[in-house]
Amino acid sequence: MTDNRSSAPPQHKPRPLMDLAISILIPSLILMKLSGEQRLGPDGALLLALAFPLGWGLLELVKYRKFNWIALLGLISVLLTGGIGLLQLDSGWLAIKEAAIPGIIGIAVLASTRTRYPLIRTLLYNPKVLNVAMIQQQLERNGQVAHFETRLLRATYWLSGTFFFSSFMNFVLAKWLVKSPAGSEAFNAELGRMTLMSYPMIAIPSMLMMMAIFYFLWRTIHGLTGLRLEDIVATTTQSEPPQQ
């Protein structure tokens, strides 16, 4: 008899340090240190640098068998960066590309407020992050569903704002740092510096904004339902709502 559990994909565990090293640190060092003609050359270094985030993203997708449209946009972003460098397009296209990806996500988040499925439910208010079933039951019991939906809409606007911030900062950073012709050793070095600087200047502030939105959601849920943090956060075994 076959054990069906053996064919199930392994559970994904966040590895932020490894993600940071493979997606940012290693590619940046390759671009800055190996782009000289005496080493890999501009095209060789660019291809090797792009192979790390691209390969890592595809590995995660295949290993955990889970479609993630944000990860897909990341892969598209990597391929576009490679195309700009290898085709030696004007470096201004890099700034447009860097702004376009988070900008598209921000617009999608805003547009989703007009649908039955706001993207904040996918990104933050979802069963993998929060005990949605318990929260919903308590909201209905307390007659606070409409009030919560209003607060969730406000959080959605703030969430889109984090992506627009990222879009603007990406554009500014690319225009400021990347000035050399695409496909040159200097272009690769500038691209490496931009990738490194994007973490403290864009990723960390965006992360803090997301944490602030999550805190707002938690305070809202706690205020409307009376649930404690340990009840709200999703666990592998989610219990029934406490009786009052």
Side-chain angles (χ1 to χ4, degrees):
M1 200 174 202
T2 346
D3 188 356
N4 291 333
R5 289 175 299 178
S6 60
S7 61
Q11 189 177 3
H12 182 268
K13 295 179 181 176
R15 292 167 288 186
L17 289 179
M18 190 175 290
D19 290 341
L20 179 62
I22 294 175
S23 301
I24 294 180
L25 187 59
I26 294 174
S28 299
L29 290 175
I30 290 171
L31 288 169
M32 290 189 289
K33 302 296 180 185
L34 301 180
S35 294
E37 292 295 345
Q38 69 279 16
R39 293 186 176 171
L40 295 178
D43 289 352
L46 182 61
L47 285 172
L48 180 61
L50 293 173
F52 278 87
L54 182 60
W56 182 246
L58 289 173
L59 178 66
E60 294 267 293
L61 190 64
V62 170
K63 187 175 181 181
Y64 298 108
R65 303 179 201 172
K66 199 159 280 187
F67 178 77
N68 185 326
W69 63 273
I70 294 181
L72 178 64
L73 280 175
L75 291 177
I76 292 171
S77 174
V78 167
L79 291 173
L80 287 175
T81 301
I84 290 167
L86 294 173
L87 297 175
Q88 300 183 7
L89 302 179
D90 187 279
S91 59
W93 283 105
L94 182 68
I96 294 170
K97 188 276 298 182
E98 289 293 311
I101 299 297
I104 288 169
I105 300 175
I107 292 169
V109 170
L110 270 185
S112 74
T113 61
R114 301 294 180 183
T115 71
R116 294 175 56 193
Y117 305 102
L119 283 177
I120 196 167
R121 294 184 182 273
T122 303
L123 299 172
L124 287 179
Y125 187 65
N126 70 73
K128 289 186 179 179
V129 179
L130 299 172
N131 193 339
V132 174
M134 179 185 288
I135 293 167
Q136 194 62 32
Q137 287 179 41
Q138 286 295 103
L139 288 170
E140 289 171 3
R141 179 176 296 168
N142 297 346
Q144 295 287 359
V145 174
H147 193 178
F148 176 72
E149 291 297 331
T150 303
R151 295 285 188 91
L152 195 62
L153 183 61
R154 187 185 304 172
T156 305
Y157 292 145
W158 292 345
L159 181 64
S160 67
T162 67
F163 289 108
F164 291 136
F165 164 80
S166 177
S167 175
F168 174 74
M169 288 300 295
N170 276 335
F171 183 84
V172 169
L173 201 61
K175 291 295 282 183
W176 175 37
L177 291 177
V178 184
K179 300 182 181 298
S180 301
S184 65
E185 181 182 349
F187 172 84
N188 281 6
E190 291 164 0
L191 184 60
R193 280 195 293 275
M194 184 193 77
T195 306
L196 275 179
M197 290 186 68
S198 70
Y199 190 75
M201 290 184 68
I202 302 170
I204 292 178
S206 297
M207 198 182 306
L208 291 174
M209 291 177 195
M210 293 281 275
M211 288 171 65
I213 295 169
F214 188 84
Y215 178 75
F216 169 77
L217 272 181
W218 173 72
R219 291 297 299 171
T220 294
I221 293 166
H222 175 68
L224 298 180
T225 65
L227 294 172
R228 299 165 301 173
L229 182 61
E230 52 266 37
D231 299 321
I232 292 170
V233 175
T235 57
T236 48
T237 54
Q238 294 181 342
S239 57
E240 292 298 318
Q243 299 298 320
Q244 292 184 354

